[in-house]
Coordinates of all heavy atoms in Angstrom, one line a residue:
M1 N -10.7 -9.2 -4.2 CA -9.9 -10.2 -3.4 C -9.7 -9.6 -2.0 O -9.2 -8.5 -1.9 CB -8.6 -10.5 -4.1 CG -7.6 -11.2 -3.3 SD -6.0 -11.5 -4.1 CE -6.4 -12.8 -5.2
K2 N -10.0 -10.3 -1.0 CA -9.7 -9.9 0.4 C -8.3 -10.2 0.7 O -7.8 -11.3 0.3 CB -10.6 -10.7 1.3 CG -10.5 -10.2 2.7 CD -11.6 -10.8 3.6 CE -11.4 -10.6 5.0 NZ -11.6 -9.2 5.5
I3 N -7.6 -9.3 1.3 CA -6.2 -9.5 1.6 C -5.9 -9.5 3.0 O -6.7 -9.0 3.8 CB -5.3 -8.4 0.9 CG1 -5.6 -7.0 1.4 CG2 -5.5 -8.4 -0.6 CD1 -4.7 -6.0 0.9
K4 N -4.8 -10.2 3.4 CA -4.4 -10.3 4.8 C -2.9 -9.9 4.8 O -2.1 -10.5 4.2 CB -4.6 -11.7 5.3 CG -4.1 -11.9 6.7 CD -4.2 -13.3 7.2 CE -3.6 -13.4 8.6 NZ -3.6 -14.8 9.0
F5 N -2.7 -8.8 5.6 CA -1.3 -8.4 5.8 C -0.6 -9.3 6.7 O -1.1 -9.7 7.7 CB -1.3 -7.0 6.4 CG -1.9 -5.9 5.4 CD1 -3.1 -5.4 5.7 CD2 -1.2 -5.5 4.4 CE1 -3.7 -4.4 4.9 CE2 -1.7 -4.5 3.5 CZ -2.9 -4.0 3.8
V6 N 0.6 -9.8 6.3 CA 1.4 -10.7 7.1 C 2.7 -10.1 7.6 O 3.5 -10.8 8.2 CB 1.7 -12.0 6.3 CG1 0.4 -12.8 6.1 CG2 2.4 -11.8 5.0
S7 N 2.9 -8.9 7.3 CA 4.1 -8.2 7.9 C 3.6 -6.8 8.3 O 2.6 -6.3 8.0 CB 5.2 -8.0 6.8 OG 4.8 -7.1 5.8
D8 N 4.5 -6.2 9.1 CA 4.2 -4.8 9.5 C 4.3 -3.9 8.3 O 5.0 -4.2 7.3 CB 5.2 -4.4 10.6 CG 4.8 -3.1 11.3 OD1 3.5 -2.8 11.4 OD2 5.6 -2.4 11.8
V9 N 3.6 -2.8 8.4 CA 3.6 -1.8 7.3 C 4.9 -1.0 7.5 O 5.0 -0.4 8.6 CB 2.4 -0.9 7.3 CG1 2.5 0.1 6.2 CG2 1.1 -1.8 7.1
E10 N 5.7 -0.9 6.5 CA 7.0 -0.1 6.6 C 6.9 1.1 5.8 O 6.2 1.2 4.8 CB 8.1 -1.0 6.0 CG 8.3 -2.3 6.7 CD 9.1 -2.3 8.0 OE1 9.9 -1.3 8.1 OE2 8.8 -3.1 8.8
W11 N 7.5 2.2 6.2 CA 7.6 3.5 5.5 C 9.1 3.8 5.4 O 9.8 4.0 6.3 CB 6.9 4.5 6.2 CG 7.1 5.9 5.7 CD1 7.8 6.9 6.3 CD2 6.6 6.5 4.5 NE1 7.8 8.1 5.5 CE2 7.1 7.8 4.4 CE3 5.9 6.0 3.4 CZ2 6.8 8.6 3.3 CZ3 5.7 6.8 2.3 CH2 6.1 8.1 2.3
D12 N 9.6 3.9 4.1 CA 11.0 4.2 3.9 C 11.2 5.6 3.4 O 12.3 6.0 3.0 CB 11.6 3.2 2.8 CG 11.0 3.4 1.5 OD1 10.2 4.3 1.2 OD2 11.3 2.5 0.6
G13 N 10.2 6.5 3.5 CA 10.3 7.8 3.1 C 9.8 8.1 1.7 O 9.6 9.2 1.3
K14 N 9.7 7.0 0.9 CA 9.3 7.1 -0.5 C 8.0 6.3 -0.7 O 7.2 6.7 -1.6 CB 10.3 6.5 -1.4 CG 11.6 7.4 -1.4 CD 12.6 6.8 -2.3 CE 13.9 7.6 -2.2 NZ 15.0 7.0 -2.9
A15 N 7.8 5.2 0.0 CA 6.6 4.3 -0.2 C 6.3 3.5 1.1 O 7.2 3.2 1.8 CB 6.9 3.4 -1.4
L16 N 5.1 3.2 1.2 CA 4.7 2.2 2.2 C 4.8 0.8 1.6 O 4.6 0.6 0.4 CB 3.2 2.4 2.6 CG 2.8 3.6 3.4 CD1 1.3 3.8 3.6 CD2 3.5 3.6 4.8
S17 N 5.1 -0.2 2.4 CA 5.2 -1.5 1.9 C 4.8 -2.5 3.0 O 5.0 -2.3 4.1 CB 6.6 -1.9 1.3 OG 7.5 -1.8 2.4
A18 N 4.2 -3.6 2.5 CA 3.7 -4.7 3.4 C 3.6 -5.9 2.6 O 3.2 -5.9 1.4 CB 2.4 -4.3 4.1
R19 N 3.8 -7.1 3.2 CA 3.5 -8.3 2.6 C 2.1 -8.8 2.9 O 1.6 -8.6 3.9 CB 4.5 -9.4 3.1 CG 5.9 -9.1 2.7 CD 6.8 -10.3 2.7 NE 8.1 -10.0 2.0 CZ 8.3 -10.1 0.7 NH1 7.3 -10.4 -0.1 NH2 9.5 -9.8 0.2
V20 N 1.5 -9.4 1.8 CA 0.2 -10.0 2.0 C 0.2 -11.4 1.5 O 1.0 -11.8 0.6 CB -0.9 -9.1 1.2 CG1 -1.0 -7.7 1.7 CG2 -0.7 -9.2 -0.3
V21 N -0.7 -12.2 2.0 CA -0.9 -13.6 1.5 C -2.0 -13.6 0.5 O -3.0 -13.1 0.6 CB -1.2 -14.5 2.7 CG1 -1.6 -15.9 2.3 CG2 -0.1 -14.5 3.7
T22 N -1.7 -14.3 -0.6 CA -2.6 -14.6 -1.7 C -2.7 -16.1 -1.9 O -2.0 -16.8 -1.3 CB -2.2 -13.9 -3.0 OG1 -1.1 -14.5 -3.5 CG2 -1.9 -12.4 -2.8
G23 N -3.6 -16.4 -2.8 CA -3.7 -17.9 -3.1 C -2.5 -18.4 -3.8 O -2.3 -19.7 -3.9
F24 N -1.6 -17.6 -4.3 CA -0.4 -18.1 -4.9 C 0.9 -17.7 -4.2 O 1.9 -17.7 -4.8 CB -0.4 -17.6 -6.4 CG -0.6 -16.1 -6.6 CD1 0.4 -15.2 -6.5 CD2 -1.9 -15.7 -6.9 CE1 0.1 -13.9 -6.7 CE2 -2.2 -14.4 -7.1 CZ -1.2 -13.4 -7.0
G25 N 0.7 -17.3 -2.9 CA 1.9 -17.0 -2.1 C 1.9 -15.6 -1.6 O 1.0 -14.9 -1.7
E26 N 3.1 -15.2 -1.0 CA 3.2 -13.9 -0.5 C 3.6 -12.9 -1.6 O 4.4 -13.2 -2.5 CB 4.3 -13.8 0.6 CG 3.9 -14.4 1.9 CD 4.9 -14.1 3.0 OE1 5.8 -13.3 2.8 OE2 4.8 -14.8 4.0
V27 N 3.0 -11.7 -1.5 CA 3.3 -10.6 -2.4 C 3.6 -9.4 -1.7 O 3.0 -9.0 -0.7 CB 2.1 -10.4 -3.3 CG1 2.3 -9.2 -4.3 CG2 1.7 -11.6 -4.1
L28 N 4.7 -8.7 -2.1 CA 5.0 -7.4 -1.5 C 4.2 -6.3 -2.2 O 4.3 -6.2 -3.4 CB 6.5 -7.1 -1.7 CG 7.0 -5.8 -1.1 CD1 6.8 -5.7 0.4 CD2 8.5 -5.5 -1.5
C29 N 3.4 -5.6 -1.4 CA 2.6 -4.5 -1.9 C 3.3 -3.1 -1.6 O 3.6 -2.9 -0.4 CB 1.2 -4.5 -1.4 SG 0.3 -6.0 -1.8
R30 N 3.6 -2.3 -2.6 CA 4.2 -1.0 -2.4 C 3.2 0.1 -2.8 O 2.5 0.0 -3.8 CB 5.5 -0.9 -3.3 CG 6.6 -1.7 -2.8 CD 7.9 -1.5 -3.6 NE 8.2 -0.1 -4.0 CZ 8.8 0.8 -3.1 NH1 9.1 0.5 -1.9 NH2 9.0 2.0 -3.6
V31 N 3.2 1.1 -2.0 CA 2.3 2.3 -2.2 C 3.2 3.5 -2.1 O 3.5 4.0 -1.0 CB 1.2 2.3 -1.1 CG1 0.3 3.5 -1.4 CG2 0.3 1.0 -1.1
P32 N 3.5 4.1 -3.3 CA 4.4 5.3 -3.3 C 3.7 6.5 -2.7 O 2.4 6.6 -2.6 CB 4.7 5.5 -4.8 CG 4.2 4.3 -5.5 CD 3.2 3.6 -4.6
R33 N 4.4 7.5 -2.4 CA 3.9 8.7 -1.8 C 2.9 9.4 -2.7 O 1.9 9.9 -2.2 CB 5.1 9.7 -1.6 CG 4.7 11.0 -0.9 CD 5.8 12.0 -0.9 NE 6.9 11.6 -0.1 CZ 7.1 12.0 1.2 NH1 6.3 12.8 1.7 NH2 8.2 11.6 1.8
D34 N 3.1 9.4 -4.0 CA 2.1 9.9 -4.9 C 0.7 9.3 -4.8 O -0.3 9.9 -4.9 CB 2.6 9.8 -6.4 CG 3.8 10.7 -6.7 OD1 4.1 11.6 -5.9 OD2 4.3 10.6 -7.8
T35 N 0.7 8.0 -4.6 CA -0.5 7.3 -4.4 C -1.2 7.6 -3.1 O -2.4 7.8 -3.1 CB -0.3 5.7 -4.5 OG1 0.3 5.4 -5.8 CG2 -1.6 5.0 -4.4
I36 N -0.4 7.8 -2.1 CA -1.0 8.2 -0.8 C -1.6 9.6 -0.9 O -2.7 9.8 -0.4 CB 0.1 8.2 0.3 CG1 0.7 6.8 0.5 CG2 -0.4 8.8 1.6 CD1 2.0 6.7 1.3
H37 N -0.9 10.5 -1.6 CA -1.4 11.8 -1.8 C -2.7 11.8 -2.7 O -3.4 12.8 -2.7 CB -0.3 12.7 -2.4 CG 0.7 13.1 -1.4 ND1 1.9 13.7 -1.7 CD2 0.7 12.9 0.0 CE1 2.6 13.9 -0.6 NE2 1.9 13.4 0.4
A38 N -3.0 10.8 -3.4 CA -4.2 10.7 -4.2 C -5.4 10.5 -3.4 O -6.6 10.7 -3.8 CB -4.1 9.6 -5.2
L39 N -5.2 10.1 -2.1 CA -6.4 10.0 -1.2 C -6.7 11.4 -0.6 O -5.8 12.0 -0.1 CB -6.0 9.0 0.0 CG -5.7 7.6 -0.4 CD1 -5.1 6.8 0.8 CD2 -7.0 6.9 -0.8
P40 N -7.9 11.8 -0.7 CA -8.2 13.2 -0.3 C -7.8 13.5 1.1 O -7.2 14.6 1.3 CB -9.8 13.3 -0.4 CG -10.1 12.3 -1.5 CD -9.1 11.1 -1.3
V41 N -8.0 12.6 2.1 CA -7.6 13.0 3.4 C -6.1 13.0 3.7 O -5.6 13.7 4.6 CB -8.3 12.0 4.4 CG1 -7.6 10.6 4.3 CG2 -8.3 12.5 5.8
Y42 N -5.3 12.4 2.7 CA -3.9 12.4 2.9 C -3.2 13.2 1.7 O -2.0 13.1 1.5 CB -3.3 11.0 2.9 CG -3.8 10.2 4.0 CD1 -4.7 9.2 3.9 CD2 -3.3 10.4 5.3 CE1 -5.2 8.5 5.0 CE2 -3.8 9.7 6.4 CZ -4.7 8.7 6.2 OH -5.2 8.0 7.3
S43 N -4.0 14.1 1.1 CA -3.4 14.8 -0.1 C -2.2 15.7 0.2 O -1.4 15.9 -0.7 CB -4.5 15.6 -0.8 OG -5.0 16.6 0.1
D44 N -2.1 16.1 1.4 CA -1.0 17.0 1.7 C -0.2 16.4 2.9 O 0.5 17.2 3.6 CB -1.4 18.4 2.0 CG -2.4 18.5 3.1 OD1 -2.8 17.5 3.7 OD2 -2.7 19.7 3.5
A45 N -0.3 15.1 3.2 CA 0.4 14.5 4.3 C 1.9 14.6 4.2 O 2.5 14.4 3.1 CB 0.0 13.0 4.4
I46 N 2.5 15.0 5.3 CA 4.0 15.0 5.4 C 4.5 13.7 5.9 O 3.7 12.8 6.4 CB 4.5 16.2 6.2 CG1 4.0 16.1 7.6 CG2 4.1 17.5 5.6 CD1 4.5 17.1 8.6
E47 N 5.8 13.5 5.8 CA 6.4 12.2 6.1 C 6.0 11.7 7.5 O 5.7 10.5 7.7 CB 7.9 12.3 6.0 CG 8.6 11.0 6.3 CD 10.0 10.9 5.9 OE1 10.5 11.8 5.2 OE2 10.7 10.0 6.3
R48 N 6.1 12.6 8.5 CA 5.7 12.2 9.9 C 4.3 11.7 10.0 O 4.0 10.7 10.7 CB 5.9 13.4 10.8 CG 5.6 13.2 12.2 CD 5.9 14.4 13.1 NE 5.9 15.7 12.3 CZ 4.8 16.6 12.5 NH1 3.8 16.3 13.2 NH2 4.8 17.7 11.8
E49 N 3.3 12.3 9.3 CA 1.9 11.9 9.3 C 1.8 10.6 8.6 O 1.0 9.7 9.1 CB 1.1 13.0 8.6 CG 1.0 14.3 9.4 CD 0.4 15.4 8.6 OE1 0.6 15.4 7.3 OE2 -0.3 16.2 9.2
I50 N 2.5 10.4 7.5 CA 2.4 9.1 6.8 C 2.9 8.0 7.7 O 2.3 6.9 7.8 CB 3.1 9.2 5.4 CG1 2.4 10.1 4.5 CG2 3.2 7.8 4.8 CD1 3.2 10.5 3.2
R51 N 4.1 8.2 8.3 CA 4.6 7.2 9.2 C 3.7 6.9 10.3 O 3.5 5.7 10.6 CB 6.0 7.7 9.8 CG 6.7 6.7 10.6 CD 8.0 7.1 11.2 NE 8.9 7.7 10.2 CZ 9.6 6.9 9.3 NH1 9.5 5.6 9.4 NH2 10.4 7.5 8.5
S52 N 3.1 7.8 10.9 CA 2.2 7.5 12.1 C 0.9 7.0 11.6 O 0.2 6.2 12.4 CB 2.0 8.8 12.9 OG 1.2 9.7 12.2
Q53 N 0.4 7.2 10.4 CA -0.9 6.7 9.9 C -0.7 5.6 9.0 O -1.6 5.2 8.3 CB -1.6 7.9 9.2 CG -2.0 9.0 10.2 CD -3.1 8.5 11.2 OE1 -4.0 7.9 10.8 NE2 -2.9 8.8 12.4
R54 N 0.5 5.0 8.9 CA 0.8 4.0 7.9 C -0.2 2.8 7.9 O -0.6 2.3 6.8 CB 2.2 3.5 7.9 CG 2.6 2.8 9.1 CD 4.1 2.5 9.2 NE 4.5 1.7 10.3 CZ 4.7 2.2 11.5 NH1 4.6 3.5 11.8 NH2 5.1 1.4 12.5
H55 N -0.6 2.3 9.0 CA -1.5 1.2 9.1 C -2.9 1.6 8.6 O -3.5 0.9 7.8 CB -1.6 0.6 10.5 CG -0.3 0.1 11.0 ND1 0.2 -1.1 10.6 CD2 0.6 0.6 11.9 CE1 1.3 -1.3 11.2 NE2 1.6 -0.3 12.0
A56 N -3.4 2.7 9.0 CA -4.7 3.2 8.5 C -4.7 3.5 7.0 O -5.7 3.2 6.3 CB -5.1 4.5 9.3
I57 N -3.6 4.0 6.5 CA -3.5 4.2 5.0 C -3.6 2.9 4.3 O -4.4 2.8 3.3 CB -2.2 5.0 4.7 CG1 -2.2 6.4 5.3 CG2 -2.0 5.0 3.2 CD1 -0.9 7.1 5.3
M58 N -2.9 1.9 4.7 CA -2.9 0.6 4.0 C -4.3 0.0 4.1 O -4.8 -0.6 3.2 CB -1.8 -0.3 4.6 CG -0.4 0.0 4.1 SD -0.2 0.0 2.4 CE 0.7 -1.6 2.2
E59 N -4.9 0.1 5.3 CA -6.3 -0.5 5.4 C -7.3 0.2 4.5 O -8.1 -0.4 3.9 CB -6.8 -0.4 6.9 CG -6.1 -1.3 7.8 CD -6.4 -2.8 7.4 OE1 -7.5 -3.1 7.0 OE2 -5.5 -3.6 7.7
R60 N -7.1 1.6 4.4 CA -8.0 2.3 3.5 C -7.7 1.9 2.0 O -8.6 1.9 1.2 CB -7.7 3.8 3.6 CG -8.6 4.7 2.8 CD -8.3 6.1 3.1 NE -8.9 6.5 4.3 CZ -9.8 7.5 4.4 NH1 -10.2 8.2 3.4 NH2 -10.3 7.7 5.6
L61 N -6.5 1.5 1.7 CA -6.2 1.1 0.3 C -6.4 -0.4 0.1 O -6.2 -0.8 -1.0 CB -4.7 1.5 0.0 CG -4.5 3.0 -0.1 CD1 -3.0 3.3 -0.2 CD2 -5.2 3.6 -1.3
A62 N -6.8 -1.1 1.1 CA -6.9 -2.6 0.9 C -7.8 -3.0 -0.2 O -7.4 -3.9 -1.0 CB -7.4 -3.2 2.2
P63 N -9.0 -2.3 -0.4 CA -9.8 -2.7 -1.6 C -9.0 -2.5 -2.9 O -9.1 -3.4 -3.8 CB -11.0 -1.8 -1.5 CG -11.1 -1.5 0.0 CD -9.6 -1.3 0.4
A64 N -8.3 -1.4 -3.1 CA -7.6 -1.2 -4.3 C -6.4 -2.2 -4.5 O -6.2 -2.7 -5.6 CB -7.1 0.3 -4.4
L65 N -5.8 -2.5 -3.4 CA -4.7 -3.5 -3.4 C -5.3 -4.8 -3.8 O -4.7 -5.6 -4.6 CB -4.0 -3.6 -2.1 CG -3.1 -2.4 -1.7 CD1 -2.7 -2.4 -0.3 CD2 -1.9 -2.4 -2.6
G66 N -6.4 -5.2 -3.2 CA -7.1 -6.5 -3.5 C -7.5 -6.6 -5.0 O -7.3 -7.6 -5.6
A67 N -8.0 -5.5 -5.6 CA -8.3 -5.5 -7.0 C -7.1 -5.6 -7.8 O -7.1 -6.4 -8.8 CB -9.0 -4.1 -7.3
K68 N -6.0 -5.0 -7.5 CA -4.7 -5.1 -8.3 C -4.2 -6.6 -8.1 O -3.7 -7.2 -9.1 CB -3.7 -4.1 -7.8 CG -2.5 -4.2 -8.7 CD -1.9 -2.9 -8.9 CE -0.7 -3.0 -9.9 NZ -0.2 -1.7 -10.2
L69 N -4.2 -7.1 -6.9 CA -3.8 -8.5 -6.7 C -4.6 -9.5 -7.5 O -4.0 -10.5 -8.0 CB -3.8 -8.8 -5.2 CG -2.7 -8.2 -4.4 CD1 -3.1 -8.3 -2.9 CD2 -1.4 -8.8 -4.7
A70 N -5.9 -9.2 -7.7 CA -6.7 -10.2 -8.4 C -6.3 -10.3 -9.9 O -6.5 -11.3 -10.5 CB -8.2 -9.7 -8.4
I71 N -5.6 -9.3 -10.4 CA -5.1 -9.4 -11.8 C -3.6 -9.4 -11.9 O -3.1 -9.2 -13.0 CB -5.7 -8.2 -12.6 CG1 -5.3 -6.8 -12.0 CG2 -7.2 -8.3 -12.7 CD1 -5.6 -5.7 -12.9
A72 N -2.9 -9.6 -10.8 CA -1.5 -9.5 -10.7 C -0.7 -10.6 -11.4 O 0.5 -10.5 -11.6 CB -1.0 -9.4 -9.3
N73 N -1.4 -11.7 -11.8 CA -0.7 -12.7 -12.6 C 0.5 -13.3 -11.9 O 1.6 -13.4 -12.5 CB -0.4 -12.2 -14.0 CG 0.0 -13.3 -15.0 OD1 -0.5 -14.5 -14.8 ND2 0.7 -13.0 -16.0
R74 N 0.4 -13.6 -10.6 CA 1.4 -14.2 -9.8 C 2.7 -13.4 -9.7 O 3.8 -13.9 -9.4 CB 1.8 -15.6 -10.4 CG 0.6 -16.6 -10.4 CD 1.0 -18.0 -10.8 NE -0.1 -18.8 -10.9 CZ -0.6 -19.6 -10.0 NH1 0.0 -19.6 -8.8 NH2 -1.7 -20.3 -10.2
D75 N 2.6 -12.1 -9.8 CA 3.7 -11.2 -9.5 C 4.1 -11.3 -8.0 O 3.2 -11.5 -7.2 CB 3.3 -9.7 -9.9 CG 3.1 -9.5 -11.3 OD1 3.6 -10.3 -12.1 OD2 2.4 -8.6 -11.7
R76 N 5.3 -11.1 -7.7 CA 5.8 -11.1 -6.4 C 5.8 -9.8 -5.7 O 5.9 -9.6 -4.5 CB 7.2 -11.8 -6.3 CG 7.1 -13.3 -6.6 CD 6.3 -14.0 -5.6 NE 6.1 -15.4 -6.0 CZ 5.1 -16.1 -5.7 NH1 4.1 -15.6 -4.9 NH2 5.0 -17.3 -6.1
V77 N 5.8 -8.7 -6.6 CA 5.8 -7.3 -6.1 C 4.8 -6.6 -6.9 O 4.8 -6.7 -8.2 CB 7.2 -6.7 -6.2 CG1 7.1 -5.2 -5.7 CG2 8.2 -7.4 -5.4
I78 N 3.9 -5.8 -6.3 CA 3.0 -4.9 -7.0 C 3.2 -3.5 -6.4 O 3.6 -3.4 -5.3 CB 1.5 -5.4 -6.9 CG1 1.0 -5.3 -5.5 CG2 1.3 -6.7 -7.5 CD1 -0.5 -5.3 -5.4
E79 N 2.9 -2.6 -7.3 CA 3.0 -1.2 -6.8 C 1.6 -0.5 -7.2 O 1.2 -0.6 -8.4 CB 4.1 -0.4 -7.5 CG 4.3 0.9 -7.0 CD 5.6 1.5 -7.4 OE1 6.7 1.0 -7.0 OE2 5.6 2.5 -8.2
L80 N 0.9 0.0 -6.2 CA -0.3 0.7 -6.5 C -0.1 2.1 -6.9 O 0.6 2.9 -6.3 CB -1.1 0.7 -5.2 CG -2.6 1.1 -5.3 CD1 -3.4 0.0 -6.1 CD2 -3.2 1.2 -3.9
L81 N -0.6 2.4 -8.1 CA -0.4 3.7 -8.7 C -1.5 4.7 -8.4 O -2.7 4.2 -8.1 CB -0.4 3.6 -10.2 CG 0.7 2.6 -10.7 CD1 0.6 2.4 -12.2 CD2 2.1 3.1 -10.3
P82 N -1.3 6.0 -8.4 CA -2.4 7.0 -8.1 C -3.6 6.7 -9.0 O -4.8 6.9 -8.5 CB -1.7 8.3 -8.4 CG -0.3 8.1 -8.3 CD 0.0 6.7 -8.7
S83 N -3.5 6.4 -10.2 CA -4.6 6.2 -11.1 C -5.5 5.0 -10.7 O -6.6 4.8 -11.2 CB -4.2 6.0 -12.5 OG -3.3 4.9 -12.7
E84 N -5.0 4.1 -9.8 CA -5.7 2.9 -9.4 C -6.4 3.1 -8.1 O -7.1 2.2 -7.6 CB -4.7 1.7 -9.3 CG -4.0 1.4 -10.6 CD -2.9 0.5 -10.4 OE1 -2.1 0.6 -9.5 OE2 -2.7 -0.4 -11.3
V85 N -6.4 4.3 -7.6 CA -7.1 4.6 -6.3 C -8.4 5.3 -6.7 O -8.4 6.4 -7.4 CB -6.2 5.5 -5.4 CG1 -7.0 5.9 -4.2 CG2 -5.0 4.8 -5.0
H86 N -9.5 4.8 -6.3 CA -10.8 5.4 -6.6 C -11.3 6.2 -5.5 O -11.4 5.9 -4.4 CB -11.8 4.3 -7.0 CG -11.3 3.4 -8.1 ND1 -11.0 2.1 -7.9 CD2 -11.0 3.7 -9.4 CE1 -10.6 1.6 -9.1 NE2 -10.5 2.6 -10.0

């Protein structure tokens, strides 16, 4: 599923989050720090790096988020887990 971000990517110190539009409405996508660290290039990223790279991180995770949204069953919030990042 191709996704379109409709809000800015936020970083609260624990997770990235952004709203995306799907065929069944808006969904809040959350990506916890553990999931970010599952990406090889961000495996040891500190908070400042995550904050400054938040848009690039979400774009890199867009395919995994799309796959999760495709099976989300109309959930309004999804959280991408480290095991779901390939």
Side-chain angles (χ1 to χ4, degrees):
M1 168 184 282
K2 186 168 170 74
I3 64 172
K4 179 182 176 185
F5 296 103
V6 294
S7 70
D8 194 26
V9 177
E10 304 280 332
W11 170 248
D12 66 6
K14 296 179 184 173
L16 291 173
S17 60
R19 293 202 169 277
V20 300
V21 172
T22 68
F24 48 87
E26 284 190 14
V27 176
L28 178 64
C29 297
R30 290 185 38 83
V31 179
R33 183 188 296 261
D34 289 350
T35 304
I36 296 165
H37 287 168
L39 296 169
V41 71
Y42 297 108
S43 63
D44 61 352
I46 60 174
E47 184 168 346
R48 178 175 29 101
E49 294 167 324
I50 295 170
R51 183 178 308 284
S52 69
Q53 294 293 312
R54 65 187 184 275
H55 297 286
I57 294 167
M58 287 298 259
E59 287 298 327
R60 182 176 283 239
L61 291 171
L65 289 167
K68 183 143 187 177
L69 285 166
I71 59 170
N73 196 23
R74 300 186 185 269
D75 294 338
R76 293 293 173 212
V77 178
I78 64 163
E79 188 167 294
L80 192 63
L81 303 174
S83 61
E84 298 168 321
V85 175
H86 303 116

